[in-house]
Amino acid sequence: MTTSYDTQAYLLDRANVHDTVTRLTLNVDLKSWDGLVKEVYAPQVIIDYTSLFGGQPLDTTGEAWAKSLEPMMGAFDSTQHVVTGLVIELPQPVKGVVRPDKCMVVANVNGHLFRRAARGGPMMHNGGRYVLDLVRLPELEQKGENPWRVSKQVTVATWEDGSTDVMTVVAGIGH
């Protein structure tokens, strides 16, 4: 494990953060709840879908959150989430800067949700952005694994189009 914060460490952190965020949407679409626990979420997480569903942010474990997604996301016939335009906020590796153990990411996200049984049509598309806090887990880094995990996920909805009935199966998120 390197403790210096040089260009190589900075670029590795950026790549690992990018991979963690990409794995978030990929594991949801693959319905890999184990992947979310092992590759994406920190042991303790705050999940905020209030811009979509109201309610309050949820403070829970990464494992409990991933398991709670199974029945909700399993109700869809298919989903595709696309995350792009990641702005990863890490300090530049200049003299005197300490290697970070946390960072923030803002990214665009689109969701395409398909449920045959939905009244009014089977498709719902929505878009917005994620505002994510990530933390470095040293125990993963010591094992040679990607150490970055999501500790806070805020989903900010900015638009939607399609059958709102498609979304009724996930209306319990954050409650």
Side-chain angles (χ1 to χ4, degrees), residues 12-91:
L12 180 59
D13 279 344
R14 285 186 57 83
N16 280 331
V17 167
H18 187 279
D19 285 355
T20 298
V21 174
T22 301
R23 284 183 173 128
L24 191 165
T25 57
L26 180 62
N27 281 313
V28 166
D29 292 335
L30 293 174
K31 298 178 179 167
S32 176
W33 320 121
D34 195 46
L36 288 171
V37 173
K38 291 181 178 178
E39 301 174 345
V40 176
Y41 289 114
Q44 194 66 31
V45 295
I46 296 171
I47 304 294
D48 185 345
Y49 276 89
T50 57
S51 77
L52 278 167
F53 304 113
Q56 297 295 317
L58 180 65
D59 189 342
T60 187
T61 67
E63 184 173 2
W65 170 245
K67 301 288 185 227
S68 76
L69 289 174
E70 186 171 1
M72 289 184 276
M73 299 308 291
F76 292 110
D77 295 306
S78 183
T79 63
Q80 182 182 44
H81 293 82
V82 179
V83 64
T84 187
L86 281 70
V87 176
I88 300 168
E89 300 201 4
L90 286 166

Side-chain angles (χ1 to χ4, degrees), residues 107-151:
N108 293 316
V109 65
N110 291 312
H112 308 280
L113 309 153
F114 181 77
R115 192 167 65 92
R116 254 181 216 91
R119 292 178 307 188
M123 291 294 297
M124 168 57 86
H125 308 279
N126 57 33
R129 69 189 152 278
Y130 283 150
V131 180
L132 306 167
D133 290 345
L134 285 87
V135 294
R136 181 192 308 275
L137 299 180
E139 62 273 19
L140 296 177
E141 193 165 40
Q142 290 169 358
K143 294 192 290 185
E145 297 178 21
N146 178 345
W148 290 96
R149 296 296 184 267
V150 174
S151 61

